[in-house]
Amino acid sequence: MAEMIKIENVTKRFGDFVAVDNANLTIEEQEFVVLLGPSGCGKSTLLRMIAELEKITGGTLEIDGQVVNDVPPAQRGIAMVFQSYALWPHMSVADNVGYPLKLRRIQGSEYQRRVAHALAQVALEPYAQRSPQELSGGQRQRVALARCLVTDPAVVLLDEPLANLDYKLREELRVEIPKIFEKSGSIFGISTR
């Protein structure tokens, strides 16, 4: 189980363009961190490097005292929720949440238990058989979060998770998301805004 993320002099270059320049940050166990800054300042790029969706150009990233610069995404214990919900429209809410488990070949009662638990964490149990189109924007975002939590990740990254919501829903989820993380037992939550 991860105890700390340590970002030391992390840099990301795209050719001559420097997207992230010598970022330094330490995140302790069970800490919820929000990265603030203007559009284009490198917040999302930093999250993508933590998740290994982008290669680090320079510096080191440690998780639980181990340098993970070259560790594949599937072996990092990280899950990411993107700004767009990225839900499958032809699947039910429960099937969307359970999709990462199917990829890991988890089936039967364990599959059912974990999907039910993830839906309970985001208070969507009554919506399990609905399609994503039948849900509000806030509910869709909670489905995306449940799909992330179903794998029991040590680190959860959220890339502008509230950007597509109206003001009222944004305010509600700003309060709700940290509570969900506290209940889930995930070690970290890192969000951009």
Side-chain angles (χ1 to χ4, degrees):
M1 193 174 253
E3 292 181 0
M4 178 174 46
I5 293 178
K6 191 171 186 181
I7 298 165
E8 285 189 322
N9 301 315
V10 168
T11 299
K12 177 62 182 178
R13 289 184 182 82
F14 296 98
D16 291 336
F17 178 73
V18 179
V20 176
D21 190 16
N22 290 316
N24 289 283
L25 179 65
T26 300
I27 303 165
E28 300 294 335
E29 184 175 357
Q30 295 191 324
E31 193 167 11
F32 190 89
V33 175
V34 178
L35 304 175
L36 296 171
S39 182
C41 74
K43 303 178 304 287
S44 294
T45 303
L46 184 60
L47 291 187
R48 292 177 62 80
M49 286 189 289
I50 294 169
E52 228 278 322
L53 300 175
E54 294 285 351
K55 287 282 186 195
I56 294 172
T57 308
T60 58
L61 170 65
E62 292 182 20
I63 298 178
D64 199 17
Q66 244 183 319
V67 175
V68 295
N69 289 32
D70 297 316
V71 174
Q75 296 175 14
R76 289 191 181 192
I78 294 176
M80 191 161 178
V81 178
F82 298 92
Q83 181 177 343
S84 67
Y85 317 122
L87 301 179
W88 298 99
H90 64 286
M91 291 182 176
S92 70
V93 166
D95 290 341
N96 266 284
V97 171
Y99 190 71
L101 299 177
K102 285 190 178 192
L103 293 176
R104 290 169 173 81
R105 293 181 167 70
I106 297 171
Q107 304 171 18
S109 62
E110 179 66 7
Y111 174 91
Q112 297 299 329
R113 184 192 68 74
R114 288 173 74 170
V115 169
H117 180 67
L119 286 171
Q121 287 177 303
V122 298
L124 285 178
E125 309 100 302
Y127 302 92
Q129 297 312 312
R130 291 195 185 176
S131 72
Q133 296 91 318
E134 297 176 276
L135 304 178
S136 70
Q139 289 168 329
R140 290 180 192 183
Q141 193 61 285
R142 288 189 293 168
V143 172
L145 187 54
R147 183 181 53 205
C148 172
L149 295 173
V150 77
T151 61
D152 295 323
V155 179
V156 178
L157 307 174
L158 300 106
D159 192 6
E160 297 194 42
L162 309 177
N164 292 331
L165 305 177
D166 65 38
Y167 176 78
K168 185 177 183 222
L169 280 173
R170 228 183 357 254
E171 290 305 305
E172 286 175 18
L173 283 178
R174 250 188 213 126
V175 172
E176 202 171 315
I177 287 174
K179 289 179 184 176
I180 291 168
F181 279 106
E182 195 174 308
K183 281 193 307 189
S184 76
S186 288
I187 300 296
F188 306 104
I190 306 172
S191 179
T192 59
R193 205 167 102 188

